[in-house]
Amino acid sequence: MLIYLNSMNKKIAIIGAGGHAKEILDIVFNSKLSKELYFYDNVNQESNKFVNQFSILKNDNQILNIFENDPIFATGIGGTLIKKKIVKHFESLGGVYCSIIASNANIGHF
């Protein structure tokens, strides 16, 4: 299911905490789509903060706590095949997937 974000959703979980997640962070902040963001990274256990500001969730139990009240999530990772698998996993946990596209994005037709 694809949903459109209203302005100022409560919380959004971003799956990933690397370069692509930084791009998503920039879009969300510039568009004022959310007051509260969480990032999920169960691979890199070294850091608990994303860009020294946002909490990084490390396991499914932590994301389940977020999904209880705010199930919206987006992916901050690259690669179509792995992304499909990850989306299915987080949907099975009760998450609702959304695509985040910059308002100034130029999407071609070719």
Side-chain angles (χ1 to χ4, degrees):
M1 173 193 309
L2 175 64
I3 65 163
Y4 294 94
L5 297 175
N6 298 323
S7 61
M8 295 309 278
N9 281 292
K10 282 180 150 183
K11 298 177 188 173
I12 300 173
I14 308 298
I15 310 307
H20 191 71
K22 286 181 182 177
E23 293 178 28
I24 300 298
L25 170 63
D26 187 52
I27 294 168
V28 170
F29 255 57
N30 287 334
S31 303
K32 296 182 172 77
L33 291 174
S34 177
K35 294 184 219 175
E36 202 169 341
L37 290 174
Y38 293 88
F39 292 82
Y40 180 96
D41 182 355
N42 65 346
V43 176
N44 179 6
Q45 297 297 319
E46 294 175 17
S47 179
N48 290 324
K49 293 286 184 182
F50 184 63
V51 295
N52 297 320
Q53 182 177 356
F54 301 95
S55 296
I56 298 177
L57 308 172
K58 297 293 186 182
N59 59 57
D60 288 353
N61 287 332
Q62 291 176 322
I63 198 91
L64 284 169
N65 289 332
I66 301 299
F67 285 172
E68 283 180 11
N69 296 313
D70 296 290
I72 297 171
F73 77 95
T75 55
I77 55 171
T80 304
L81 293 176
I82 190 74
K83 191 180 295 187
K84 286 181 181 182
K85 184 177 179 180
I86 287 172
V87 167
K88 285 184 181 199
H89 173 72
F90 286 95
E91 286 178 334
S92 77
L93 296 175
V96 177
Y97 176 67
C98 71
S99 289
I100 296 177
I101 301 171
S103 60
N104 62 346
N106 185 5
I107 301 170
H109 295 95
F110 298 103

